Amino acid sequence: MKDETPPVISVIGLGYVGLPLAVALAGHYEVIGFDIDPFRIGAIKSGNDRTGEIAREALLATSLDVTSDATQLARASIHIVTVPTPVTERNEPDMRALFAACETVGRVLRRGGIVVFESTVYPGVTEELCGPALERTSGLAAGRDFFLGYSPERINPGDRVHTVDRITKVVAGQTAEVAATLAGIYGRITSGGTFVAASIRAAEAAKAIENAQRDLNIAFINEVTMIFNRLGLSVHDVLEASATKWNFLPFKPGLVGGHCIGVDPYYLAHCAQAAGHEPEIILAGRRINDGMGAYIATEVLKALQAPAGSAPRLLVLGLTFKEDVPDLRNSKVVDLIAVLREAGAVVTVHDPLADPVEAMALYGIALEREFPTGGFDALIAAVPHAAYRDFAPETFTRLLRPDGLIADVKGIWRKRTLPPTLRRWQL
Protein backbone atom coordinates (compact mmCIF):
# COMPACT_ATOMS: atom_id res chain seq x y z
CA MET A 1 0.00 0.00 0.00
CA LYS A 2 3.07 2.30 0.13
CA ASP A 3 3.60 1.94 -3.62
CA GLU A 4 3.07 5.36 -5.22
CA THR A 5 1.93 3.87 -8.52
CA PRO A 6 -1.68 5.00 -9.06
CA PRO A 7 -4.02 2.12 -8.24
CA VAL A 8 -6.37 0.51 -10.71
CA ILE A 9 -9.86 0.77 -9.24
CA SER A 10 -12.94 -1.32 -9.91
CA VAL A 11 -16.51 -0.24 -9.19
CA ILE A 12 -18.93 -3.12 -8.70
CA GLY A 13 -22.50 -2.22 -9.68
CA LEU A 14 -23.21 0.59 -12.17
CA GLY A 15 -26.55 1.94 -10.99
CA TYR A 16 -27.49 5.30 -9.50
CA VAL A 17 -24.50 5.17 -7.14
CA GLY A 18 -21.85 3.23 -9.02
CA LEU A 19 -21.90 4.89 -12.44
CA PRO A 20 -21.47 8.52 -11.27
CA LEU A 21 -18.72 7.37 -8.90
CA ALA A 22 -16.94 5.37 -11.60
CA VAL A 23 -17.08 8.25 -14.08
CA ALA A 24 -15.72 10.68 -11.47
CA LEU A 25 -12.88 8.32 -10.51
CA ALA A 26 -12.03 7.70 -14.17
CA GLY A 27 -11.02 11.34 -14.43
CA HIS A 28 -8.04 10.55 -12.19
CA TYR A 29 -7.45 6.79 -12.23
CA GLU A 30 -7.72 3.74 -14.43
CA VAL A 31 -11.18 2.46 -13.54
CA ILE A 32 -13.06 -0.73 -14.42
CA GLY A 33 -16.82 -0.50 -14.06
CA PHE A 34 -18.51 -3.87 -13.59
CA ASP A 35 -22.18 -4.80 -13.76
CA ILE A 36 -23.77 -8.24 -14.08
CA ASP A 37 -26.27 -6.91 -16.63
CA PRO A 38 -24.74 -7.03 -20.14
CA PHE A 39 -27.56 -4.83 -21.46
CA ARG A 40 -26.61 -2.15 -18.93
CA ILE A 41 -23.00 -2.38 -20.08
CA GLY A 42 -24.04 -2.08 -23.72
CA ALA A 43 -26.20 0.94 -22.98
CA ILE A 44 -23.40 2.71 -21.10
CA LYS A 45 -20.95 2.05 -23.93
CA SER A 46 -23.40 3.65 -26.35
CA GLY A 47 -23.74 6.70 -24.09
CA ASN A 48 -27.14 5.85 -22.60
CA ASP A 49 -27.65 6.05 -18.84
CA ARG A 50 -31.22 5.01 -18.06
CA THR A 51 -30.94 6.56 -14.59
CA GLY A 52 -30.42 10.00 -16.11
CA GLU A 53 -27.53 10.72 -13.73
CA ILE A 54 -24.78 10.95 -16.37
CA ALA A 55 -25.19 12.88 -19.62
CA ARG A 56 -24.57 11.15 -22.92
CA GLU A 57 -21.63 13.43 -23.74
CA ALA A 58 -19.93 12.60 -20.44
CA LEU A 59 -20.38 8.86 -20.95
CA LEU A 60 -18.97 8.95 -24.45
CA ALA A 61 -16.01 11.05 -23.30
CA THR A 62 -15.04 9.07 -20.18
CA SER A 63 -12.06 6.72 -20.06
CA LEU A 64 -14.08 4.36 -17.85
CA ASP A 65 -13.80 0.76 -19.01
CA VAL A 66 -17.13 -1.00 -18.43
CA THR A 67 -17.61 -4.76 -18.55
CA SER A 68 -19.76 -7.66 -17.42
CA ASP A 69 -16.72 -9.98 -17.48
CA ALA A 70 -15.72 -10.45 -13.85
CA THR A 71 -12.25 -11.73 -14.76
CA GLN A 72 -11.33 -8.19 -15.84
CA LEU A 73 -11.55 -7.14 -12.20
CA ALA A 74 -8.28 -8.96 -11.50
CA ARG A 75 -6.43 -5.91 -12.83
CA ALA A 76 -7.66 -3.81 -9.91
CA SER A 77 -6.08 -3.47 -6.49
CA ILE A 78 -8.95 -1.45 -5.01
CA HIS A 79 -12.55 -2.65 -5.38
CA ILE A 80 -15.52 -0.43 -4.52
CA VAL A 81 -18.85 -2.22 -4.04
CA THR A 82 -21.97 -0.14 -4.80
CA VAL A 83 -24.67 -2.77 -5.19
CA PRO A 84 -28.19 -2.20 -3.80
CA THR A 85 -29.21 -3.35 -0.32
CA PRO A 86 -33.03 -3.50 -0.31
CA VAL A 87 -35.38 -5.15 2.18
CA THR A 88 -37.49 -8.28 1.82
CA GLU A 89 -41.28 -8.35 1.77
CA ARG A 90 -41.06 -8.67 5.57
CA ASN A 91 -38.93 -5.50 5.72
CA GLU A 92 -35.81 -7.40 6.72
CA PRO A 93 -32.35 -6.66 5.24
CA ASP A 94 -31.82 -8.35 1.88
CA MET A 95 -28.07 -8.54 1.34
CA ARG A 96 -28.00 -11.17 -1.39
CA ALA A 97 -26.57 -8.73 -3.94
CA LEU A 98 -23.94 -7.64 -1.42
CA PHE A 99 -22.80 -11.20 -0.75
CA ALA A 100 -22.82 -11.99 -4.49
CA ALA A 101 -20.55 -9.00 -4.99
CA CYS A 102 -18.25 -10.30 -2.25
CA GLU A 103 -18.02 -13.62 -4.07
CA THR A 104 -17.26 -11.88 -7.37
CA VAL A 105 -14.53 -9.74 -5.83
CA GLY A 106 -13.18 -12.61 -3.74
CA ARG A 107 -12.34 -14.61 -6.88
CA VAL A 108 -10.00 -11.91 -8.14
CA LEU A 109 -8.78 -10.37 -4.88
CA ARG A 110 -5.00 -9.95 -4.62
CA ARG A 111 -2.77 -9.69 -1.59
CA GLY A 112 -2.60 -6.10 -0.39
CA GLY A 113 -5.90 -5.26 -2.04
CA ILE A 114 -8.57 -3.04 -0.52
CA VAL A 115 -12.31 -3.70 -0.72
CA VAL A 116 -14.49 -0.68 -0.02
CA PHE A 117 -18.24 -0.88 0.52
CA GLU A 118 -20.57 2.01 -0.30
CA SER A 119 -23.79 0.00 0.00
CA THR A 120 -25.94 1.06 2.95
CA VAL A 121 -25.79 -1.48 5.77
CA TYR A 122 -26.00 -1.53 9.56
CA PRO A 123 -22.98 -1.33 11.87
CA GLY A 124 -20.83 -4.45 11.74
CA VAL A 125 -21.81 -5.77 8.30
CA THR A 126 -18.56 -4.81 6.55
CA GLU A 127 -16.22 -6.43 9.05
CA GLU A 128 -18.40 -9.20 10.48
CA LEU A 129 -20.20 -10.40 7.35
CA CYS A 130 -18.52 -9.08 4.21
CA GLY A 131 -14.98 -9.67 5.45
CA PRO A 132 -15.58 -13.39 6.14
CA ALA A 133 -17.45 -13.73 2.82
CA LEU A 134 -14.42 -12.35 0.99
CA GLU A 135 -12.12 -14.64 2.99
CA ARG A 136 -14.10 -17.74 2.06
CA THR A 137 -13.87 -17.08 -1.66
CA SER A 138 -10.35 -15.63 -1.83
CA GLY A 139 -8.60 -17.84 0.71
CA LEU A 140 -7.01 -14.67 2.08
CA ALA A 141 -7.29 -13.14 5.54
CA ALA A 142 -8.94 -9.75 6.12
CA GLY A 143 -6.69 -7.33 7.98
CA ARG A 144 -3.56 -9.21 6.96
CA ASP A 145 -3.71 -10.21 3.28
CA PHE A 146 -6.35 -7.69 2.22
CA PHE A 147 -8.10 -4.78 3.88
CA LEU A 148 -11.62 -3.45 4.27
CA GLY A 149 -12.97 0.05 3.92
CA TYR A 150 -16.31 1.80 4.00
CA SER A 151 -17.51 5.05 2.42
CA PRO A 152 -21.29 5.51 2.58
CA GLU A 153 -22.94 6.68 -0.63
CA ARG A 154 -24.89 9.91 -0.52
CA ILE A 155 -26.40 9.96 -3.99
CA ASN A 156 -29.72 11.79 -4.22
CA PRO A 157 -31.31 10.77 -7.55
CA GLY A 158 -32.08 13.74 -9.74
CA ASP A 159 -30.10 16.16 -7.54
CA ARG A 160 -27.75 18.23 -9.72
CA VAL A 161 -26.30 20.16 -6.77
CA HIS A 162 -25.24 17.49 -4.25
CA THR A 163 -23.38 15.30 -6.75
CA VAL A 164 -20.56 12.90 -5.92
CA ASP A 165 -17.96 15.46 -7.00
CA ARG A 166 -19.28 18.12 -4.58
CA ILE A 167 -20.33 16.36 -1.39
CA THR A 168 -18.23 15.48 1.66
CA LYS A 169 -17.25 11.83 1.48
CA VAL A 170 -17.04 9.95 4.76
CA VAL A 171 -14.33 7.28 4.66
CA ALA A 172 -13.19 4.61 7.09
CA GLY A 173 -10.61 1.86 6.93
CA GLN A 174 -9.63 -1.29 8.73
CA THR A 175 -6.35 0.46 9.52
CA ALA A 176 -5.32 4.12 9.68
CA GLU A 177 -3.24 3.58 6.54
CA VAL A 178 -6.23 2.25 4.60
CA ALA A 179 -8.37 5.18 5.77
CA ALA A 180 -5.68 7.61 4.60
CA THR A 181 -5.47 5.87 1.24
CA LEU A 182 -9.23 6.13 0.75
CA ALA A 183 -9.27 9.76 1.88
CA GLY A 184 -6.67 10.48 -0.78
CA ILE A 185 -8.60 8.70 -3.53
CA TYR A 186 -12.00 10.18 -2.75
CA GLY A 187 -10.45 13.55 -2.02
CA ARG A 188 -9.31 13.80 -5.64
CA ILE A 189 -12.85 13.56 -7.01
CA THR A 190 -14.84 15.86 -4.71
CA SER A 191 -14.60 19.54 -3.86
CA GLY A 192 -16.50 18.78 -0.65
CA GLY A 193 -13.50 17.11 0.96
CA THR A 194 -13.38 13.93 3.03
CA PHE A 195 -14.09 13.08 6.64
CA VAL A 196 -12.26 10.15 8.21
CA ALA A 197 -14.68 8.39 10.56
CA ALA A 198 -13.47 6.87 13.82
CA SER A 199 -14.13 3.35 12.56
CA ILE A 200 -15.88 1.39 9.87
CA ARG A 201 -18.76 0.72 12.25
CA ALA A 202 -19.08 4.44 12.97
CA ALA A 203 -19.25 5.19 9.23
CA GLU A 204 -21.88 2.48 8.72
CA ALA A 205 -23.93 3.87 11.58
CA ALA A 206 -23.65 7.44 10.29
CA LYS A 207 -25.21 6.44 6.98
CA ALA A 208 -27.99 4.52 8.70
CA ILE A 209 -29.08 7.45 10.87
CA GLU A 210 -28.82 10.06 8.09
CA ASN A 211 -31.75 8.51 6.27
CA ALA A 212 -33.61 7.40 9.39
CA GLN A 213 -33.56 11.00 10.67
CA ARG A 214 -35.09 12.29 7.44
CA ASP A 215 -37.68 9.50 7.49
CA LEU A 216 -38.75 10.45 11.02
CA ASN A 217 -39.04 14.14 10.19
CA ILE A 218 -41.30 13.38 7.24
CA ALA A 219 -43.33 10.94 9.37
CA PHE A 220 -44.00 13.73 11.87
CA ILE A 221 -45.28 15.99 9.10
CA ASN A 222 -47.40 13.16 7.69
CA GLU A 223 -48.96 12.54 11.09
CA VAL A 224 -49.80 16.18 11.70
CA THR A 225 -51.23 16.24 8.17
CA MET A 226 -53.75 13.60 9.27
CA ILE A 227 -54.55 15.62 12.39
CA PHE A 228 -55.06 18.88 10.51
CA ASN A 229 -57.18 17.13 7.91
CA ARG A 230 -59.64 16.23 10.69
CA LEU A 231 -59.62 19.86 11.78
CA GLY A 232 -60.35 21.16 8.31
CA LEU A 233 -56.89 22.69 7.91
CA SER A 234 -54.52 22.38 4.97
CA VAL A 235 -51.12 21.29 6.23
CA HIS A 236 -49.54 23.42 3.49
CA ASP A 237 -51.10 26.55 4.98
CA VAL A 238 -49.79 25.56 8.41
CA LEU A 239 -46.30 24.79 7.12
CA GLU A 240 -46.16 28.07 5.24
CA ALA A 241 -46.74 29.94 8.49
CA SER A 242 -44.40 27.74 10.55
CA ALA A 243 -41.57 28.16 8.02
CA THR A 244 -41.23 31.82 9.04
CA LYS A 245 -39.51 30.69 12.25
CA TRP A 246 -35.73 30.61 11.78
CA ASN A 247 -35.18 27.08 13.09
CA PHE A 248 -38.27 25.33 11.72
CA LEU A 249 -37.30 22.36 9.53
CA PRO A 250 -38.97 22.58 6.09
CA PHE A 251 -40.21 19.03 5.57
CA LYS A 252 -43.28 18.32 3.44
CA PRO A 253 -45.95 15.60 3.60
CA GLY A 254 -46.32 12.85 1.05
CA LEU A 255 -45.29 9.39 -0.06
CA VAL A 256 -41.88 8.26 1.20
CA GLY A 257 -40.36 5.63 -1.05
CA GLY A 258 -37.11 5.13 -2.89
CA HIS A 259 -34.12 2.99 -2.18
CA CYS A 260 -32.79 4.98 0.79
CA ILE A 261 -35.27 6.74 3.07
CA GLY A 262 -37.94 4.08 2.66
CA VAL A 263 -35.49 1.23 3.27
CA ASP A 264 -32.53 2.18 5.46
CA PRO A 265 -34.47 2.65 8.72
CA TYR A 266 -35.29 -1.06 8.59
CA TYR A 267 -31.57 -1.86 8.56
CA LEU A 268 -31.10 0.26 11.68
CA ALA A 269 -34.13 -1.36 13.31
CA HIS A 270 -32.81 -4.84 12.50
CA CYS A 271 -29.47 -3.96 14.08
CA ALA A 272 -31.19 -2.59 17.18
CA GLN A 273 -33.30 -5.71 17.65
CA ALA A 274 -30.25 -7.93 17.22
CA ALA A 275 -28.60 -5.93 20.00
CA GLY A 276 -31.60 -6.46 22.29
CA HIS A 277 -33.22 -3.05 21.89
CA GLU A 278 -36.74 -2.65 20.50
CA PRO A 279 -36.72 0.49 18.34
CA GLU A 280 -39.92 2.42 18.95
CA ILE A 281 -39.50 5.77 17.21
CA ILE A 282 -37.79 4.39 14.10
CA LEU A 283 -40.48 1.80 13.41
CA ALA A 284 -43.29 4.19 14.33
CA GLY A 285 -42.04 6.56 11.66
CA ARG A 286 -41.91 3.75 9.14
CA ARG A 287 -45.47 2.67 9.98
CA ILE A 288 -46.76 6.19 9.37
CA ASN A 289 -44.89 6.67 6.12
CA ASP A 290 -45.64 3.17 4.83
CA GLY A 291 -49.34 3.84 5.44
CA MET A 292 -49.55 7.14 3.57
CA GLY A 293 -50.47 5.56 0.24
CA ALA A 294 -53.53 3.91 1.78
CA TYR A 295 -54.39 7.08 3.72
CA ILE A 296 -54.33 9.29 0.63
CA ALA A 297 -56.33 6.77 -1.40
CA THR A 298 -59.01 6.59 1.30
CA GLU A 299 -59.30 10.37 1.54
CA VAL A 300 -59.51 10.78 -2.22
CA LEU A 301 -62.26 8.18 -2.42
CA LYS A 302 -64.23 10.07 0.25
CA ALA A 303 -63.95 13.29 -1.74
CA LEU A 304 -64.67 11.70 -5.09
CA GLN A 305 -68.45 11.98 -5.47
CA ALA A 306 -68.34 9.76 -8.55
CA PRO A 307 -71.58 9.16 -10.51
CA ALA A 308 -73.62 6.33 -9.04
CA GLY A 309 -73.84 3.03 -10.83
CA SER A 310 -70.39 3.00 -12.40
CA ALA A 311 -66.83 2.38 -11.28
CA PRO A 312 -64.96 5.67 -10.87
CA ARG A 313 -62.33 6.37 -13.51
CA LEU A 314 -59.17 7.79 -11.99
CA LEU A 315 -55.98 9.10 -13.58
CA VAL A 316 -52.88 8.87 -11.39
CA LEU A 317 -50.08 11.21 -12.44
CA GLY A 318 -46.63 9.87 -11.60
CA LEU A 319 -45.30 6.48 -10.57
CA THR A 320 -41.64 7.12 -9.73
CA PHE A 321 -40.64 7.46 -6.09
CA LYS A 322 -39.86 11.20 -6.47
CA GLU A 323 -40.21 14.02 -8.94
CA ASP A 324 -38.20 14.44 -12.14
CA VAL A 325 -36.37 11.10 -11.98
CA PRO A 326 -37.13 7.75 -13.70
CA ASP A 327 -36.44 5.73 -10.53
CA LEU A 328 -39.25 3.29 -9.70
CA ARG A 329 -37.57 1.53 -6.78
CA ASN A 330 -39.84 1.17 -3.76
CA SER A 331 -42.39 3.65 -5.10
CA LYS A 332 -45.22 4.16 -2.62
CA VAL A 333 -47.52 5.34 -5.40
CA VAL A 334 -48.00 1.61 -5.92
CA ASP A 335 -49.73 1.38 -2.52
CA LEU A 336 -52.04 4.25 -3.45
CA ILE A 337 -53.00 2.54 -6.71
CA ALA A 338 -53.58 -0.81 -5.00
CA VAL A 339 -56.07 0.65 -2.50
CA LEU A 340 -57.92 2.54 -5.23
CA ARG A 341 -58.27 -0.60 -7.31
CA GLU A 342 -59.33 -2.68 -4.32
CA ALA A 343 -62.16 -0.16 -3.86
CA GLY A 344 -63.35 -0.86 -7.40
CA ALA A 345 -61.87 2.14 -9.19
CA VAL A 346 -60.58 1.89 -12.73
CA VAL A 347 -57.12 3.40 -12.50
CA THR A 348 -54.99 4.68 -15.37
CA VAL A 349 -51.38 5.57 -14.57
CA HIS A 350 -49.29 8.10 -16.45
CA ASP A 351 -45.60 8.93 -16.06
CA PRO A 352 -43.45 10.75 -18.62
CA LEU A 353 -40.13 9.50 -17.19
CA ALA A 354 -40.61 5.94 -15.92
CA ASP A 355 -39.92 2.93 -18.12
CA PRO A 356 -43.20 1.11 -18.95
CA VAL A 357 -41.39 -2.24 -19.24
CA GLU A 358 -39.86 -1.79 -15.79
CA ALA A 359 -43.20 -0.67 -14.32
CA MET A 360 -44.86 -3.85 -15.58
CA ALA A 361 -41.99 -6.08 -14.42
CA LEU A 362 -41.78 -4.56 -10.93
CA TYR A 363 -45.42 -3.87 -10.14
CA GLY A 364 -47.62 -5.27 -12.89
CA ILE A 365 -48.76 -1.75 -13.73
CA ALA A 366 -49.45 -0.74 -17.32
CA LEU A 367 -47.95 2.70 -17.72
CA GLU A 368 -49.11 5.41 -20.11
CA ARG A 369 -46.43 7.67 -21.58
CA GLU A 370 -48.92 9.88 -23.40
CA PHE A 371 -51.94 11.55 -21.82
CA PRO A 372 -55.07 9.42 -22.31
CA THR A 373 -58.45 10.73 -23.46
CA GLY A 374 -60.43 12.67 -20.85
CA GLY A 375 -63.60 12.16 -18.88
CA PHE A 376 -61.92 11.00 -15.67
CA ASP A 377 -63.73 11.38 -12.36
CA ALA A 378 -60.52 12.37 -10.62
CA LEU A 379 -56.98 13.33 -11.42
CA ILE A 380 -54.48 12.42 -8.68
CA ALA A 381 -51.13 14.23 -8.81
CA ALA A 382 -49.03 11.69 -6.91
CA VAL A 383 -45.58 12.78 -8.14
CA PRO A 384 -44.89 16.46 -8.91
CA HIS A 385 -42.99 16.00 -12.18
CA ALA A 386 -42.24 19.22 -14.06
CA ALA A 387 -44.61 18.10 -16.82
CA TYR A 388 -47.47 18.27 -14.29
CA ARG A 389 -46.44 21.39 -12.42
CA ASP A 390 -46.95 23.48 -15.55
CA PHE A 391 -50.45 22.23 -16.46
CA ALA A 392 -52.58 24.85 -18.20
CA PRO A 393 -56.24 25.30 -17.10
CA GLU A 394 -57.49 23.69 -20.31
CA THR A 395 -55.46 20.55 -19.52
CA PHE A 396 -57.53 19.98 -16.40
CA THR A 397 -60.83 20.44 -18.24
CA ARG A 398 -59.67 18.16 -21.04
CA LEU A 399 -58.74 15.34 -18.67
CA LEU A 400 -61.65 15.59 -16.22
CA ARG A 401 -65.42 15.47 -16.48
CA PRO A 402 -67.39 18.50 -15.20
CA ASP A 403 -67.37 18.49 -11.39
CA GLY A 404 -64.34 16.19 -11.49
CA LEU A 405 -61.85 16.14 -8.63
CA ILE A 406 -58.27 17.41 -8.71
CA ALA A 407 -56.41 15.58 -5.93
CA ASP A 408 -53.21 17.54 -5.39
CA VAL A 409 -51.13 15.32 -3.10
CA LYS A 410 -48.03 17.54 -3.01
CA GLY A 411 -49.78 20.91 -3.21
CA ILE A 412 -48.20 21.79 -6.56
CA TRP A 413 -51.30 23.68 -7.73
CA ARG A 414 -52.42 25.12 -4.39
CA LYS A 415 -51.74 28.70 -5.50
CA ARG A 416 -53.28 28.16 -8.94
CA THR A 417 -56.78 29.27 -9.91
CA LEU A 418 -58.46 26.16 -11.26
CA PRO A 419 -61.43 25.97 -13.66
CA PRO A 420 -64.64 26.69 -11.67
CA THR A 421 -66.28 23.49 -12.95
CA LEU A 422 -63.76 21.34 -11.06
CA ARG A 423 -63.28 20.53 -7.37
CA ARG A 424 -60.02 20.47 -5.43
CA TRP A 425 -58.64 18.17 -2.72
CA GLN A 426 -55.20 18.43 -1.13
CA LEU A 427 -53.40 17.37 2.02
Side-chain angles (χ1 to χ4, degrees), residues 21-31 62-64 188-189:
L21 175 64
V23 170
L25 287 168
H28 304 275
Y29 302 94
E30 180 182 350
V31 180
T62 183
S63 63
L64 173 66
R188 292 194 68 183
I189 68 169

Side-chain angles (χ1 to χ4, degrees), residues 214-302:
R214 185 167 175 81
D215 190 46
L216 287 168
N217 279 313
I218 299 172
F220 168 71
I221 298 299
N222 277 338
E223 184 166 38
V224 298
T225 295
M226 299 176 192
I227 296 169
F228 295 151
N229 182 50
R230 288 177 174 267
L231 301 177
L233 289 168
S234 167
V235 71
H236 296 289
D237 292 339
V238 176
L239 292 175
E240 196 171 56
S242 296
T244 62
K245 187 168 187 246
W246 63 92
N247 61 352
F248 185 79
L249 301 178
F251 289 92
K252 300 293 177 64
L255 302 169
V256 187
H259 186 65
C260 292
I261 298 177
V263 171
D264 296 351
Y266 286 120
Y267 275 73
L268 185 57
H270 174 86
C271 176
Q273 290 165 337
H277 175 81
E278 190 59 35
E280 297 182 29
I281 295 177
I282 295 168
L283 291 181
R286 274 287 80 220
R287 282 193 297 272
I288 291 170
N289 287 341
D290 277 346
M292 278 302 288
Y295 173 79
I296 292 169
T298 301
E299 294 303 309
V300 169
L301 290 169
K302 288 179 184 176

